[in-house]
Amino acid sequence: MSFATVKLRQPTDGDGHALHQLVARCQPLDTNSVYCNLLQCTDFADTAIAAENADGNLVGFISGYRPPARQDTLFVWQVAVDSSMRGQGLALRMLLALTARVAAQGVRFIETTISPDNAASQALFLKAFNQLGISHSTSVLFSSQRHFAGLHEDEVLYRAGPLPLDSKQ
């Protein structure tokens, strides 16, 4: 499937089950319940983006939310790209499009957590921050020992911004 034929759009309630299946195919992403995925596609649709191929199949998705105490921030929860679309820049295209959309709604900062062994996610976000011309900082948000009983790596918070007022990509 060609990158050019992928349509980016806001998710709908019809995407919940397809999102659940996409995340299950994108190991090692953590799967959530179908119900959670439905909420990501409805209640959090303003802070999410779906990528659909020419056949109408969901091939990419970014879910995020605006933390209640930091309404000027988009927290990116999960990035999923189908194996058929990897290596074509779809994740970056989705992230930049979502950033432009939420910036128009008053978002000034982007946050996400990435485990230290996830080089692909680190590269994605660093490339996006570079293209947006914004600086970032990192700190451990969730500690392996304190929050995961040593069964999961630290989750490092990446915080970047402020977004330029004209962050249309």
Side-chain angles (χ1 to χ4, degrees):
M1 181 58 53
S2 168
F3 174 77
T5 61
V6 172
K7 173 184 165 187
L8 301 183
R9 60 174 175 75
Q10 208 166 320
T12 68
D13 61 353
D15 293 317
H17 189 259
L19 172 57
H20 188 75
Q21 293 176 320
L22 174 63
V23 171
R25 292 191 311 269
C26 293
Q27 295 303 312
L29 292 181
D30 293 331
T31 55
N32 298 297
S33 69
V34 174
Y35 185 75
C36 177
N37 294 140
L38 283 168
L39 292 174
Q40 290 171 300
C41 294
T42 56
D43 289 1
F44 298 95
D46 285 345
T47 53
I49 192 163
E52 179 181 287
N53 69 15
D55 297 325
N57 298 316
L58 195 67
V59 293
F61 197 92
I62 294 179
S63 57
Y65 65 96
R66 291 171 79 169
R70 297 183 316 283
Q71 286 292 299
D72 66 344
T73 300
L74 169 68
F75 186 95
V76 176
W77 180 356
Q78 199 168 55
V79 177
V81 175
D82 188 79
S83 61
S84 67
M85 297 303 301
R86 291 199 187 129
Q88 299 183 49
L90 179 58
L92 180 63
R93 182 177 162 204
M94 289 189 303
L95 184 56
L96 293 174
L98 178 59
T99 298
R101 181 173 8 118
V102 297
Q105 301 167 2
V107 167
R108 307 297 301 140
F109 297 91
I110 302 171
E111 291 182 347
T112 193
T113 59
I114 305 173
S115 58
D117 72 342
N118 192 337
S121 287
Q122 292 169 21
L124 166 65
F125 280 89
L126 295 176
K127 188 169 188 174
F129 300 159
N130 184 51
Q131 285 197 21
L132 292 165
I134 56 177
S135 61
H136 75 282
S137 62
T138 60
S139 61
V140 174
L141 181 63
F142 298 119
S143 147
S144 173
Q145 293 306 311
R146 181 170 180 231
H147 297 98
F148 301 113
L151 301 175
H152 185 288
E153 283 194 286
D154 289 342
E155 285 289 338
V156 177
L157 175 69
Y158 285 67
R159 179 169 169 81
L163 292 169
L165 294 175
D166 62 346
S167 65
K168 296 177 180 90
Q169 294 296 321

